[in-house]
Amino acid sequence: MYRRNALRLYKQKRKQMKTNLLPAIKLTLICMVFFMGIYTLLIYGIAQFAPNNGKGFIIESKGKKYYENIAQKFTDDKYFWSRPSAVDYNAASSGASNKGPSNPDYLQTVQDRIDTFIVHNPTVKKAEIPSDIVTASGSGEDPNISVQAAKIQVSRIAKIRNLSETTLLSLIEQNTEKPLFGLFGPEKINVLKLNLALDNLK
Amino acid sequence: MNTEILGIIVIFFGTLALAYPLGKYIAKVFAGEKTFLDPVFNPMEKFFFRLSGIDAANEMNWKQSMVALLVINAVWFLLGMLVLMCQGWLPLNPDGNPSMTADCAFNTTVSFVSNTNLQHYSGETMMSYMGQLTLQLFQFISAGTGIAACAIVFNALKNRTTDKLGNFYNYFLKSCTRILLPLAIIVAAILIFRGSPQTFNGKDTMISLQGDTMHVSTGPAAGMIAIKQLGTNGGGYFGANSAVPFENPDYLTNAVEDCSIFLIATAMVFALGFYLKRKKLAWMIFGVMTVSSLILLAPTVYYEMKGNPAIEKMGISQPFGNMEGKEMRFGPAASALWEITTTNTSNGSVNSMHDSSMPISGMCAMLGMMINSIYGGVGVGFLNFYIFIIIAVFISGLMVGRTPEFLGKKIEAREMKIAMIIFLIHPFLILTGTAISTYLYAEYPHYLAGWLNNPGYHGFSEMLYEFTSSSANNGSGFEGLGDTPSVFWNVSCGIVMLLSRFLPIIGPVAIAGLLANKKFIPESSGTLKTDTGTFGVMVFAVIVVLVGLSFFTALAMGPLAEHFTLFAH
Amino acid sequence: MKRQRQTKLFEPELVNEALRQSFIKLNPKILFRNPVMFTVEIGAVVILGVCLWILSGEKSQGSFLYNFIIFLILLFTVLFANFAEAIAEARGKAQADSLRKTREETPARKLVNGELITVSSSQLIKGDVFICETGDIVPSDGEIIEGIASIDESAITGESAPVIRESGGDKNSVTGGTKVLSDKIKVLVTTKPGESFLDKMIALVESATRQKTPNEIALIILLAGFTLIFIIVCASLAPFAEYAKTAIPISAYISLFVCLIPTTIGGLLSAIGIAGMDRALRANVIAKSGKAVETAGDLDTILLDKTGTITIGNRKATNFYPAAGIDEKHFVKCVVLSSMADETPEGKSIIELAGINPLSYNIENPCFIKFTAETRSSGINYNGTRIRKGASDSIRRYAEKAGNAYTDEIDERVKIISGNGGTPLVVSENEKIIGVIELQDIIKPGIQERFQRLRKMGVKTVMVTGDNPLTAKFIAEKAGVDDFIAEAKPEDKMIYIRQEQQRGKLVAMMGDGTNDAPALAQADVGVAMNSGTAAAKEAGNMVDLDNDPTKLIEVVEIGKQLLMTRGTLTTFSIANDVAKYFAIVPALFIASIPALQALNIMNLHSPQSAILSAIIFNAIIIPLLIPLALKGVAYKPIGASRLLRRNLFYYGLGGILAPFIGIKLIDLVVALFI
C-alpha cells in the first residue's frame, strides 16, 4: 500500500517535471539565445551608427585621444582641478567614499581638502569655495566641476601661466555647459575640455 | 524657477504622463488584444512556444501558475550559479576576471533572479562579459516573472468566478518580449547616442593630459543599463552604477534612466484600470502612490539642496547642497529624485551614493523600500500594494458595518491570514536581520571592524539599509557597508532576498486566486466603494500606520538620531 | 407593554458579579483564548519576577517601587479587559435569566396510553404529548395537535394582550413558560430538553460555548499579526540598544510592548460580540448563532409579506359594484351568503360592510365551497344556486367555461379597482357574473420612512403578496418598496431567494407558516415569528418573540453595529500607538541618544513618568471604552463612503490625537509624585 502510494507520488512528480521542468529549461535556453545574444547584438548593431561606434565619446587633441566623459586626475597647479575622487580617478574601478554626513573622519577629510585648497589658492576666501570641489564624487570619475569651482582657481592658474584673469574667465564662459535645453539641471564645466582649451590657448 | 527643480518636475510628471498610454498598451497585451507590434511578435512567440513545448492557451489555476513560476526560477538559479562560478574559464572574458566564490555567486545569483540586484561585487573587476550578459538575461526574465505574476492577479480580479487564470508562460514571455524588449531597445539607443558604450573590447589604456597612465573599463554596457532600469533591477554594469559617466553620461540620459525606473511600475497601475475597466480604481491607487511618493520626495530634495550643516560650519559655501557622493552633471535635486524613485520602486540603481546623502534622505529612501509599493517593482509593486488594499478593505469594511469585500469578493479569515503573513515577512526579515548584525557587531567590534564605513548612528543605518534593501528586493545600498568580501552578508542577504521575493509573489496570487474562486457579489449602495478618495485615504493611512509602527524604533536609532544630532547645534 | 428593558449599563449587581469574574478570568487557561491579553498577563508575570529579582539585590533594573507600579498597571490592564468581557456576559446572562425564569420546573400532565401522568417539565422529551388547561403554565415548546386556547405570552414577549393558538394552520405553536388563559389544548413536544431556542440563545451569550464568527476570526488574525510585529519590534530593540550602548531595563521593553499591542480592541473584542447578541435579545430577537446576527448586517435583500408588514392587518371590503341589470339588494345577498363560511378577515369585512347577518337569510342545506389555491375562489351552493367569489381571472375562466360572457363593464371595473391598489373580487351566481367587490389595503403609517432607511443602508426590500400585479404595483409604489412578487405562491419566495442568492446577494425573509419553512431555511437570515409553526422556527436562524414583521430592520442595524464597533475600536486601538511611540522611544534613549529628545513632542516630565503615563493611558482606555463596546457605535444610514469618512475621522484621527492629550495629562499628574 505504502509502495503503491510512493509509486503514485513518483509518477505525479514525474508528470509535474514533464509539465514544468522541461518547458522551463527549454524556455530558459531560448531566452538565453534571445536576451543574451540577439538583444546584445542588436544593441551592438545600433552602436555602430553612434559616434565612435559606441565605444564612448572621444576627444582628440594633439594626436592624443581622451574619453570626454571620464575624469582625469589634475593635481598640477597649472590645470583646473577635478573634483576629489575616492578611488583616485581609477576608471577601471569606479567608487565613492560612502562616508556619512556626520562621520568625523569624513569631515576631517573635507577640512583637509579645504586647507590644501587655500594653501594652493591663497587669494580665495573660504566662503567662496563651493562644496563640489572639496567633496568626492559618486563615481570617482566625475568629469565636471561647477562654474564657481572653476572661477576660484583662476587667479592661481593665471599666475602660473602668466595669463590675464579675464582671458581665463572668458575661457570658462566659453566652456560652461548650460542646463539641458537651457532649462533643466545644473550648469557645469567639463574639466578636461577646459584644460585642453587652456593648453591650446598659446 | 531654479533649473534643478524644474528638471525634476519635468522628469517626475513626464514619466507619470508617459505611463498612461503605456498602461493602455500593457492592458492590451495581457488581454491578448491586437497591438501594433503583433506582426513582429506573434510569429516569434509562436515559434518560441513550439520549441519549448508549451501550450500557451492552456489556462492554469493559481497553484499551477506558482509551481511553473518556481520551477523556472529554480532553473535560472542553477544557471546563474554555474556561469558565475565558472566565468573565469568561460568565453567572453577579455579582462581575465576570476570565477566567483560560492557565497558570492550565491548572493549574486539570488540577487539577480530575485530582481533585487544587490551587488556584493564590483562589475569592472569581478565580472566577465559572459557573467554580465547572464545578469542581463536575468534582468529581463526576473522582471518578466514579476509582471507575469501581476497579470495573473489582474486576471483573478475580473468580475467572475473561476479558477482559470491564464497561462503563466504566456504572460511571462509576452512581458519580456512585448513590454520590456521594445522599451529597452529605445532606451539603449538613446544611451549609446549620448555616450554609453556597447562594445566587446576589453579595458582601454591611455595617458592622461597630465601624463598619468589610466585604465578605462568599457563593455557591452548600454543594453544592460537599459533593462536594469526598465525592469526595476538596478544592477549596473559598473561598480558605481549610474553615477559612472559611461553608465549615465549626461542630464538627458539621467532623465531617461530615471524615467525608466518607475515608468513600467506606474504603467502597471493604469494597466489595471484599463484591463479591468475600472479606471477610477486605478486613479485611486495611482493617487495614493503619487502622494506617498511626493511626501518622501519633498524632504529629500529639501535636505540635499540645503546641504550638510557640519560642512557649513567649516565656512565654505554649498550652492549645490550636499555634494559628497554626487555627480556635478546631475546636481542634488536630480540625485534626490533618483534616490527616491529607485527606492520606491524596487530598482536600486543609484546615480549618487545614498550612504553619503543626508540622514532624512536616507530615511526617506528606506521608507520607500519599507513600503515597497509606491509604484514598486514591475508587477510586484502592485502585488505588495494589493496586500495593503486587502488589509484596508478589511478594516474599513468593518468600520462601515459590512463584511469586507474587494471588487465583489468577500475577504475572510483565510485571505486575512495570508495578507498578514505577507505583510509580516518584510518587517520580520529587516528587523531580525538588522538585529543579528548589530548584535554581532556590538559583541565583536574588533573582529568585525571592517563591516562599517561609518561609526555610530550612521553605521546602524548602513546595516538597516542593507537588510531593508535586500528584503525590498531593491539592491541599492549604503555602500560603505563592508559587504563585498563577507560570507555573513552574502549568505544572510541571499536568504532574505529569496524569501522576500517569492513569498510576496505567492501570497497575493494565492489571495487573488482564492477570491477569484468565490462568488461574485454585485455592488449595492451598501457596498464600500474602493475607487473613491475616501478609500484612498484609508489605504494611505493603513500604509503609514503599518509601516510607521513596524519601523519607528529602527529609524529612530539610525537616521533620526543622526539627523537630530547633526542639526542639533 | 414591553418587558422593562435595562437602561443602566452598570447595574450594581451585575458589576459585582463581573468584578468577581474578572479575577477568575485571570486563570491562564481561560485567558489563553484571548492571545492579546494573554501576552499582557505574561508581561505582568515577567515584571513580577523582576520585582523579586530586585528584592534579591539586583541593581540594574531600577527601583522596586517603580517596577511594582508597572506590574500593578499591567495587572489592571488585564483585569479591565476581563471586566469588559464579564460585564457583557453578566448583562447577557441577566437578560437570558429573566427569560429563563419561564423555564423553571413546572408540572406537566403527560398523556401516556390515554392516561394522564403528572411529571416535571424537564422530563418531557421530543414526541411526548401533554395537556394544558385554563391556568396552566405550558411546560415546553410544542405544537397544538388538538383544541384552541387563548394564551398569555407576556412572559416571553412582554405583550400583555392574549393571543389565540389553535391546532392546524400556522398558529399552532406554543412556547414553554406561557400561560393558558382559557380552554384546553393537547400539545406535542417538538424540542429536546435543553435545546429550545432560548436554551441556545443562553448558551450563545455564555461565552464558554460561544463560537467565533468568521469576521471575528479574521479580526483576531489581524490583531495577532499586529502582536507579532510588536514582538519583533521589541525583541530587535535589545541588540539595537546594545549597539547604541544603551541599557534598557526589562520593564521598559515590557511597557513598550504592552502599549503597542492592540490591548484596547483585544480587551473589548469578546465584550463587543456578546453585547451584539445581547442587543438582539433586547430587541426580542433570539438568534441561533452569532453568525446570523453578523450576516444580518450584510443583507442585500429583504422579503416582506405585504399583509401585516406593509399594510395593516388585512384588506377590507370598501365597495360593492353590482353588474348592470343586477339588483343591488340581490347582489349584497349573494355576496353575504358567499362569505358566510369565509373565516378570512376579508370575508368577515364583506359581511361587516353589508351590515346583514347571513343567518337572517335562513338558507337550508348550504354547502360551502372552500378556497383552494387551484380554484382561487370560494363560495356556497344551496338549493341549486351556486355562488362563487374569487380572483377576477379565475371567476372569468369559470364563467366563460359555462358559456357566459365576462363583460367589458366588469373588466373595466376590475381594472379601475386594481389600478387604485384595491383588490377586486368578482362574484358569480350560477356561473354568471353579477358584480365586483372592492377590497382595499391600508398601508401602515411610517412604513415608507423605514423602507427609505433600509434603502440608504443598501438593502433592497421586496414585497410578497398574493395580489395581482396591478394591485401589487400600486401598493409597492405607495409603500416605497423596491420590488414585489405578485400572485405569489409559496414556492415563488423560494425561487426569488435562490435567484437573488445566485447573483451573490444575501437575502432575509420573515415567515411563520409551515409552507414558509423551506424559504426560511434557504434565506441567509430567516426570521421565524414566535407565533409560527415549529417547522418555521426550526428552519429559520432567528426567532422574533414580538411577531413584528418589521423587526428585520432592527436586526440589520444590530448586525451592522456589531461589525462597526469592532472596526472602529480596532482603528482606534492601532491609531493610539503613534502617540505611545512618541512617549516611550525618546524616554528609552534619553541618556545615550540625547538628540532623540526632539521626538519628545509631548514634552513629558521624565523617562519614568513617560513610560508610566503611556501604560496607564493604555490601561484606563479599556474601561473608558466599555460603554461604547456594550452600546455599540451608532449606525447611520448615510452611505458607506460617508460612514467611512465619519468613522475614520472620529476613531482614526481621534485615535491618534486622544492619547497625545491623555498621556500628557497623566504625565502632569504622575510628575507630581516622581
Side-chain angles (χ1 to χ4, degrees), chain A residues 67 75 83 97 100 103 142, chain B residues 204 210 324 326 328 454 562:
Chain A
Y67 284 102
T75 42
R83 295 186 58 197
S97 75
N103 185 335
D142 189 348
Chain B
D204 199 1
Q210 201 179 268
E324 180 69 28
K326 290 193 179 53
M328 193 57 224
N454 292 283
E562 187 186 8

Side-chain angles (χ1 to χ4, degrees), chain C residues 124-180:
Chain C
L124 288 173
I125 59 165
K126 199 171 172 179
D128 282 352
V129 175
F130 60 84
I131 304 276
C132 276
E133 277 181 287
T134 309
D136 283 354
I137 302 284
V138 178
S140 166
D141 292 2
E143 245 171 50
I144 301 175
I145 48 177
E146 209 179 292
I148 177 167
S150 65
I151 292 179
D152 173 12
E153 289 193 336
S154 60
I156 298 278
T157 62
E159 204 71 48
S160 57
V163 292
I164 302 293
R165 294 283 179 261
E166 61 184 315
S167 63
D170 292 344
K171 303 227 180 258
N172 66 355
S173 144
V174 289
T175 313
T178 54
K179 191 175 176 187
V180 178

Side-chain angles (χ1 to χ4, degrees), chain C residues 278-290:
Chain C
D278 181 42
R279 275 198 298 281
L281 200 50
R282 265 158 228 276
N284 274 345
V285 173
I286 295 181
K288 284 195 201 169
S289 69

Side-chain angles (χ1 to χ4, degrees), chain C residues 191-392:
Chain C
T191 55
K192 288 184 196 158
E195 280 193 8
S196 69
F197 290 115
L198 201 54
D199 290 319
K200 282 182 189 159
M201 182 81 184
I202 291 166
L204 276 173
V205 169
E206 290 168 348
S207 59
T209 54
R210 205 166 58 87
Q211 290 244 313
K212 291 201 162 73
T213 63
N215 267 318
E216 214 174 346
I217 294 170
L219 183 56
I220 288 172
I221 290 171
L222 181 83
L223 298 180
F226 275 108
T227 309
L228 273 174
I229 291 174
F230 295 126
I231 289 178
I232 301 167
V233 165
C234 293
S236 65
L237 196 58
F240 292 179
E242 197 179 339
Y243 175 88
K245 299 184 177 59
T246 311
I248 298 180
I250 293 171
S251 60
Y253 285 118
I254 305 268
S255 303
L256 178 64
F257 177 66
V258 169
C259 277
L260 293 180
I261 59 174
T263 46
T264 313
I265 179 68
L268 295 172
L269 192 55
S270 45
I272 295 169
I274 298 166
M277 303 287 300
D278 181 42
R279 275 198 298 281
L281 200 50
R282 265 158 228 276
N284 274 345
V285 173
I286 295 181
K288 284 195 201 169
S289 69
K291 194 184 172 192
V293 179
E294 258 180 28
T295 310
D298 286 347
L299 287 175
D300 299 294
T301 309
I302 291 183
L303 261 58
L304 294 161
D305 277 327
K306 183 197 77 175
T307 309
T309 309
I310 296 165
T311 57
I312 288 177
N314 298 289
R315 288 170 295 195
K316 282 198 165 132
T318 49
N319 268 311
F320 297 136
Y321 297 103
I326 305 288
D327 175 41
E328 175 149 8
K329 256 193 177 158
H330 177 70
F331 180 65
V332 169
K333 179 185 171 189
C334 289
V335 161
V336 169
L337 286 176
S338 72
S339 305
M340 207 172 146
D342 188 349
E343 284 298 307
T344 63
E346 288 91 345
K348 285 178 185 157
S349 77
I350 290 171
I351 292 173
E352 213 171 276
L353 181 69
I356 298 168
N357 186 344
L359 297 177
S360 64
Y361 290 115
N362 284 325
I363 305 296
E364 283 168 18
N365 300 326
C367 174
F368 300 114
I369 311 297
K370 280 214 161 190
F371 178 89
T372 67
E374 287 77 49
T375 60
R376 294 172 66 217
S377 64
S378 61
I380 185 171
N381 290 354
Y382 69 97
N383 298 346
T385 310
R386 296 173 299 280
I387 305 172
R388 294 287 181 279
K389 72 172 198 302
S392 57

Side-chain angles (χ1 to χ4, degrees), chain B residues 229-240:
Chain B
Q229 303 296 36
L230 288 163
T232 56
N233 293 286
Y237 194 89
F238 301 103

Side-chain angles (χ1 to χ4, degrees), chain B residues 391 394-396 398-404 410 412-413 416-417 420 423-424 427-428 431-432 434-435 438-439 441-443 452 455-457 459-460 463 519-522 524-529 532 534-535 537-538 545-546 548-550 552-554 556-557 560-561 564-565, chain C residues 214-215 217-219 221-222 225-226 228-230 232-233 236-237 239-244 256 297-300 455-458 501-506 560 563-564 566-568 571 574 577-578 581-582 585 589 592-593 595-596 598-599 635 639-641 643-645 647-648:
Chain B
I391 297 174
F394 181 77
I395 298 177
S396 50
L398 290 187
M399 280 215 281
V400 299
R402 205 177 154 89
T403 297
K410 284 215 156 90
E412 286 163 307
M416 272 316 285
K417 200 183 284 174
M420 275 324 276
F423 172 75
L424 273 170
F428 173 77
L431 292 176
T432 32
T434 314
T438 46
Y439 171 78
Y441 188 82
E443 286 294 304
L452 301 184
Y457 314 132
F460 179 85
M463 294 187 274
K519 205 189 297 175
F520 175 75
I521 309 158
S524 76
S525 56
T527 312
L528 178 70
K529 292 202 170 50
T532 59
T534 309
F535 187 73
V537 171
M538 183 70 203
V545 169
L546 278 179
L549 294 182
S550 305
F552 186 84
T553 48
M557 306 277 310
L560 284 175
F564 288 122
T565 311
Chain C
N215 267 318
I217 294 170
L219 183 56
I221 290 171
L222 181 83
F226 275 108
L228 273 174
I229 291 174
F230 295 126
I232 301 167
V233 165
S236 65
L237 196 58
F240 292 179
E242 197 179 339
Y243 175 88
L256 178 64
D298 286 347
L299 287 175
D300 299 294
R455 192 167 304 116
K456 278 187 188 157
M457 290 180 193
Q501 284 174 333
Q502 250 152 33
R503 286 161 53 206
K505 308 234 166 151
L506 290 178
K560 284 195 181 296
L563 292 185
M564 271 174 54
R566 284 201 199 121
T568 49
T571 308
I574 293 166
D577 282 356
V578 176
Y581 259 132
F582 279 98
V585 169
F589 297 101
S592 55
I593 314 178
L596 278 187
L599 293 178
Y635 175 77
S641 279
L643 198 59
L644 178 63
R645 265 203 298 283
N647 286 340
L648 205 54

